[in-house]
Amino acid sequence: GENVEQHPSTLSVQEGDSAVIKCTYSDSASNYFPWYKQELGKRPQLIIDIRSNVGEKKDQRIAVTLNKTAKHFSLHITETQPEDSAVYFCAASKNDKIIFGKGTRLHILP
Amino acid sequence: DGGITQSPKYLFRKEGQNVTLSCEQNLNHDAMYWYRQDPGQGLRLIYYSQIVNDFQKGDIAEGYSVSREKKESFPLTVTSAQKNPTAFYLCASSTRRESYEQYFGPGTRLTVT
């Protein structure tokens, strides 16, 4: 079955700097790759997603890139702000079954 | 967010007892999911259902059971066979049409002693 590896598990960046979180997946048939943000005490919420027919997608300060050949995808957050502090999960999906990575705890340092 | 609900928020049980967690959605979503969240483990898929009266095992289905008798409801039973049931349980739903976005419920924290 699908296996999703996510790195790093913890990331600290200075406010205003960029943050990058990387994920790899094992099933080449996976065709949908969402990223979820979970703030402390709250439920996960979708922040951006990408389908396998697209290499890059951007939404304001957030971007996701996908390399199907290498089976990895990354989340990029630019100009980080205190409200970006949260746990971020990547996921890979095929036919409604979604497998999540173990999460990255992002700390934005003042 | 208000479209998918889980109850109760906190649940306490004695070891050896079965317990059922409720998940209801009024979003008219076809697919529903149950995840278990443990510190450092991310979201692990327990069961999912793409349509009424049908469901599939996820990666950690042992010790759990589900039913999908109605489109709106997807209850999860944690049986006494589950060796480490204490965890935070999240239910989610998705349309399977325009978007595959998963809408999560607020979660139930289960403590078994």
Side-chain angles (χ1 to χ4, degrees), chain A residues 36 38 43 45 51 96, chain B residues 33 37 50 96 102 104:
Chain A
Y36 285 80
Q38 186 177 28
R43 68 192 81 184
Q45 290 193 308
R51 299 187 190 279
D96 292 323
Chain B
Y33 306 78
Q37 186 171 28
Q50 296 166 296
R96 301 181 67 216
Q102 297 217 325
F104 285 87

Side-chain angles (χ1 to χ4, degrees), chain A residues 84-96:
Chain A
D84 295 329
S85 291
V87 178
Y88 292 81
F89 295 99
C90 64
S93 173
K94 177 185 72 173
N95 300 330
D96 292 323

Side-chain angles (χ1 to χ4, degrees), chain B residues 72-106:
Chain B
E72 302 79 21
S73 179
F74 191 41
L76 174 75
T77 296
V78 184
T79 74
S80 56
Q82 168 51 231
K83 295 178 182 177
N84 298 295
T86 294
F88 186 59
Y89 291 88
L90 282 163
C91 179
S93 68
S94 68
T95 69
R96 301 181 67 216
R97 296 191 202 99
E98 315 84 51
S99 167
Y100 291 94
E101 177 177 358
Q102 297 217 325
Y103 292 81
F104 285 87

